[in-house]
Amino acid sequence: MSKALTDLFAEITNNLADERDSLNALDGVGDGDAGDNMVSNFETITNTLRQNEGQGSVDNALRAASHALRTSGKGPTAPMYANGLDQAANDLAGKTSFGVNDIMKLLGGLLGGVQNTPGVKQQGEGGILDGLVPGVTTFMQSRNNGKSTLEALMDGYKASQRGAYGTSQQGSGFGQFGNNDTSGKVDPGAAGASSLLGSLLQTLLANGLSAGRGEPSKTSGFEELFGGGRQQQQPPQQQQPQGGYGDALGGLGDLFGQLFGGGGGMFGGQPQQQQRPSSGGDDPKPRLRDQEVI
């Protein structure tokens, strides 16, 4: 099984850990553990994928992760993501490697599986799909319209945040707290879905920019994910092959500033503060110049 998929989920899990407290805080109507549960569930997924490296196809590993999540997952979203992994396994059936272009099938499968979970709130009802549907569908539309993977993920992440914040307009509760009034509160499941897309974007951006500059990959899995090439090994005029880091980057130096230009994490402030690119020289975090992305 592909090491790239394991390393991808490991980095996503690390980035989700940074959102743990924010997601827990949104779970005030519930048990206050939405962030703890999400991090634990993605650790379960990552550990299971790691155990299945070199033992078969991508779809078999994803099904094993789904089974582990059903067995030991935490919180109401665990069976939803388990269904999503099963559907992603179907969509990636027979593959023994995993590259940037496979992310569309991974996310599409996650969305389809969650949508087919019995009892899941439909989009517009104040649940997980309010963050997942706009995020994944916007990503897929942008990708099909010719945008790079990172450009499409940025579009999807912003749409997901808008959808997640929109759940504050719903008055009904979530999960076992369905009878509680949640007016003015963001649904933690929808917020978690948006954090997932943001964590994926952050992972690809950080590792893709390193690959694009010819720096050593963090792991061999990311070398595989971005096409297995190092930039210095190719003539400057040669176009990067489809599915490699050239496809993932798409000339997106400013994406780093757009994603990290605001403080407080993905859900640490108002949504427009998270989405507005910084234009001044007083940005507290460094911006990447276009010429740094080769």
Side-chain angles (χ1 to χ4, degrees), residues 67-219:
H67 177 74
L69 204 55
R70 295 184 195 280
T71 302
S72 57
K74 297 180 179 179
T77 63
M80 300 178 190
Y81 283 114
N83 285 344
L85 291 175
D86 275 335
Q87 183 59 55
N90 293 336
D91 294 345
L92 292 165
K95 292 188 67 67
T96 57
S97 63
F98 187 88
V100 170
N101 283 343
D102 295 318
I103 289 173
M104 182 179 290
K105 288 187 176 180
L106 176 64
L107 291 181
L110 283 175
L111 173 58
V114 173
Q115 285 178 313
N116 291 327
T117 301
V120 67
K121 285 189 174 184
Q122 298 304 304
Q123 185 182 11
E125 295 181 350
I128 186 175
L129 290 178
D130 284 282
L132 198 59
V133 170
V136 175
T137 57
T138 299
F139 163 73
M140 297 178 75
Q141 290 168 359
S142 295
R143 197 72 180 91
N144 287 330
N145 288 336
K147 288 191 175 183
S148 71
T149 300
L150 283 180
E151 287 175 311
L153 273 174
M154 174 57 84
D155 291 344
Y157 171 55
K158 291 189 290 186
S160 180
Q161 276 214 318
R162 288 191 293 269
Y165 275 99
T167 62
S168 63
Q169 305 302 314
Q170 299 293 328
S172 60
F174 37 84
Q176 61 180 312
F177 305 97
N179 295 324
N180 295 71
D181 182 12
T182 60
S183 301
K185 297 180 175 63
V186 173
D187 176 72
S194 185
S195 291
L196 171 59
L197 291 176
S199 296
L200 174 59
L201 173 59
Q202 183 179 349
T203 296
L204 293 179
L205 182 59
N207 291 278
L209 289 176
S210 296
R213 290 193 295 263
E215 298 172 357
S217 296
K218 188 172 184 179
T219 71

Side-chain angles (χ1 to χ4, degrees), residues 206 208-215 231-232 245 249 288 292-294:
L209 289 176
S210 296
R213 290 193 295 263
E215 298 172 357
Q231 188 167 18
Q232 67 266 29
Y245 56 73
L249 290 175
L288 293 177
E292 290 178 311
V293 184
I294 302 174

